[in-house]
Amino acid sequence: MQSAHIDDFFAFLRFPSISAQPAHSKDMRNCAEWLSTKLRNIGFSASLCDTLGHPIVLARLDAATPNSPTLLIYGHYDVQPVDPLELWESQPFEPTVKDGFVFARGATDNKGQILSHILGVQEWIEKRDALPVNIIFLIEGEEEVGSPNLAPFLREHRAELACDAIVVSDTGMVDIGCPTLTYGLRGIAAMEIHLSGPAMDLHSGIYGGAVANPVTELCRLVASLHDQQGRVAVEGFYNGVRPLQDWERSSWAGLPFNEEKIASVTKVPTLWGETGYSALERIWSRPTAEVNGIYGGYQGDGSKTVLPAQACAKLTFRLVPDQEPEKIQECVRKHFERICPPSVSMRIEMGHTGMPYLMEPDGTLGKLAIAALKKAFPSKEPALVREGGSVPIVADFKTILGAETLLLGLALPGCQIHSPNENFSLENLYNGIAINQAIIEEMKTMPKKS
Ligand code: BES
Ligand code: MN
């Protein structure tokens, strides 16, 4: 284990680069500066590109031979908020090693994963010949808030970002040592529902019974999103949903990430979801509706007899091909407008969106990825999976840059991303380095461009 790599990892993790919280904007910039300095030290020309939000780190190092293929490696340096802080066993921005795992916010999502690619290129340069491919690193600071400024950046820098393949390690690995190619991601559509009732919080005894309670009405709206079969009960929601293919069903049924594993990682009393599909099928190939937060009324100690003036729910819908996020937002708006009672007024705020992604695992690039995974993990057959999570920019890479993305994730089922005690296996830092170098080797064989 190279202690310099660990030093880099820890330095990267110590920045509290929480993109959602304005109080951390200086930390965001410092973290981006650290990354570009790191890349410059390896030999890249690297710079920070300002956006309307947090800066993007863009770096490039060309191959020794002209007309070599170009590999773009994407990742993000921003992390999710840390709350609830009291459930962390060590401080989220003081990386702590326990049994071969590093605990810190962002350890897996995405600092450990993107750093393994940086270290992979660094080791290649230190230990081998000159690079056989041009390498671009594109590392953004707004992935966890829906990448609002990245698609415009891709459009503006299309020529500079031209590439033959994109590699992203920001997805799952089905088990430690089990190489995984993710060929599909769900898309997303976010929105907030605000209900207002009386002009101010009221005494619930004096007015309760005569004035509708916005929290009750909001709960009714939220509950109307699902039917008894766990399906989303919004008209038009399933329009265009591509059915799962037979080969997917049978190959997923044999994976080590199964129902027992999901139950044991999440510690739920029993699993839940749409009838007719296995848990993995529901997560990877079916669209869903989730409430991410709901608030209204008194949240403090003890009881307060109040009839709240307002209530709010934050919702996201996970989407699959060929659903379109904006159409889904409209279906949901119509659904709520149809059933919202006249006793409260409703305001709907649309949030970020992202298209789902699906690539051919047996196409040219899919084969290249599988060959690379076999090289990096000689004794294990790669798993082909889809993911329930979203990395919306991947669909934009296809439409704006015209390039396919290879999703080669290192996030283990127990990595706790977005939760307290997020962790990254140190073994996977080295697996990521091996994957990076195997991809570079495989890309060597790509036809030269004239
Ligand atoms: N790395 C995750 C996405 C992910 C995790 C995909 C595990 C597959 C497996 C990413 O950082 C993330 O959390 N994305 C957000 C995107 C959203 C804010 C637009 C997500 O999926 O919630
Ligand atoms: Mn991520």
Side-chain angles (χ1 to χ4, degrees):
M1 193 166 295
Q2 274 208 38
S3 74
H5 289 352
I6 305 294
D7 291 347
D8 282 337
F9 192 20
F10 281 23
F12 192 14
L13 288 171
R14 283 195 189 102
F15 295 100
S17 47
I18 305 172
S19 51
Q21 299 174 343
H24 288 288
S25 59
K26 189 78 193 113
D27 300 314
M28 292 297 297
R29 182 162 290 274
N30 291 342
C31 187
E33 292 281 6
W34 180 87
L35 267 176
S36 79
T37 305
K38 170 76 202 166
L39 285 160
R40 241 177 266 133
N41 289 344
I42 299 172
F44 279 78
S45 65
S47 54
L48 293 202
C49 306
D50 284 318
T51 70
L52 295 174
H54 302 298
I56 293 169
V57 179
L58 182 61
R60 182 178 184 104
L61 183 55
D62 281 337
T65 335
N67 305 325
S68 298
T70 302
L71 170 65
L72 187 151
I73 302 170
Y74 161 85
H76 60 95
Y77 65 88
D78 63 323
V79 303
Q80 285 273 320
V82 298
D83 61 290
L85 187 57
E86 63 279 12
L87 295 184
W88 283 80
E89 283 167 22
S90 53
Q91 288 304 303
F93 298 109
E94 281 169 23
T96 305
V97 183
K98 213 169 125 191
D99 302 327
F101 289 80
V102 178
F103 286 79
R105 171 57 87 229
T108 286
D109 191 8
N110 176 242
K111 290 176 174 174
Q113 299 193 71
I114 185 63
L115 183 66
S116 71
H117 284 280
I118 296 174
L119 297 176
V121 177
Q122 177 185 327
E123 284 195 8
W124 185 295
I125 295 167
E126 284 168 0
K127 296 184 189 161
R128 307 199 197 192
D129 323 333
L131 280 173
V133 297
N134 309 314
I135 294 185
I136 299 172
F137 274 102
L138 174 67
I139 308 175
E140 71 156 317
E142 297 186 302
E143 197 277 343
E144 300 293 2
V145 291
S147 305
N149 296 297
L150 191 54
F153 183 86
L154 298 185
R155 281 187 208 101
E156 261 170 50
H157 296 79
R158 218 161 53 173
E160 235 174 296
L161 297 171
C163 58
D164 301 277
I166 297 173
V167 164
V168 176
S169 290
D170 195 17
T171 48
M173 172 179 257
V174 291
D175 201 359
I176 186 83
C178 188
T180 306
L181 171 64
T182 297
Y183 63 92
L185 292 167
R186 287 199 289 186
I188 193 164
M191 62 178 77
E192 287 186 17
I193 316 298
H194 297 263
L195 291 192
S196 347
M200 70 293 284
D201 285 2
L202 301 174
H203 188 293
S204 63
I206 299 176
Y207 294 101
V211 172
N213 185 316
V215 176
T216 308
E217 297 311 325
L218 183 68
C219 290
R220 248 195 270 282
L221 294 188
V222 166
S224 76
L225 287 174
H226 292 96
D227 67 13
Q228 290 301 313
Q229 277 68 52
R231 282 172 62 89
V232 177
V234 170
E235 205 182 309
F237 186 77
Y238 289 95
N239 287 353
V241 168
R242 264 194 242 177
L244 179 66
Q245 297 181 41
D246 290 343
W247 74 267
E248 299 183 291
R249 270 213 146 136
S250 51
S251 100
W252 296 354
L255 291 174
F257 192 62
N258 51 23
E259 315 229 329
E260 290 83 73
K261 188 99 187 190
I262 297 172
S264 85
V265 167
T266 59
K267 303 188 175 69
V268 288
T270 170
L271 297 183
W272 171 89
E274 186 183 359
T275 50
Y277 297 89
S278 74
L280 269 194
E281 291 166 2
R282 300 195 296 270
I283 299 172
W284 291 354
S285 74
R286 300 293 296 166
T288 51
E290 297 295 340
V291 187
N292 304 122
I294 184 162
Y295 55 93
Y298 180 62
Q299 314 277 323
D301 290 336
S303 131
K304 181 185 182 198
T305 49
V306 68
L307 195 165
Q310 285 177 350
C312 170
K314 291 176 185 278
L315 309 176
T316 48
F317 297 82
R318 295 285 171 169
L319 310 177
V320 302
D322 295 306
Q323 288 175 301
E324 287 174 38
E326 285 78 15
K327 284 194 182 152
I328 293 299
Q329 287 177 325
E330 277 319 300
C331 291
V332 176
R333 177 205 292 282
K334 284 200 187 106
H335 172 85
F336 285 140
E337 281 174 351
R338 194 166 48 76
I339 62 177
C340 182
S343 51
V344 288
S345 43
M346 177 172 65
R347 184 169 58 82
I348 298 181
E349 243 176 64
M350 295 306 176
H352 58 83
T353 56
M355 289 290 283
Y357 182 71
L358 203 53
M359 57 97 77
E360 283 299 334
D362 51 7
T364 315
L365 272 185
K367 285 194 181 122
L368 183 148
I370 291 167
L373 289 176
K374 284 184 173 161
K375 196 167 267 177
F377 298 81
S379 57
K380 273 279 202 172
E381 197 56 28
L384 298 184
V385 306
R386 285 161 71 170
E387 279 284 5
S390 309
V391 185
I393 202 65
V394 169
D396 296 327
F397 285 147
K398 183 79 189 291
T399 50
I400 301 172
L401 302 182
E404 205 81 73
T405 298
L406 302 172
L407 294 155
L408 304 171
L410 301 163
L412 295 172
C415 65
Q416 312 253 88
I417 65 173
H418 298 204
S419 298
N421 305 310
E422 177 175 352
N423 60 85
F424 188 62
S425 145
L426 279 176
E427 191 181 323
N428 266 1
L429 191 67
Y430 296 92
N431 286 333
I433 291 174
I435 289 174
N436 172 271
Q437 300 190 346
I439 286 282
I440 294 175
E441 266 166 27
E442 288 302 317
M443 278 190 73
K444 264 202 292 203
T445 63
M446 275 187 153
K448 286 254 185 285
K449 284 178 289 181
S450 48

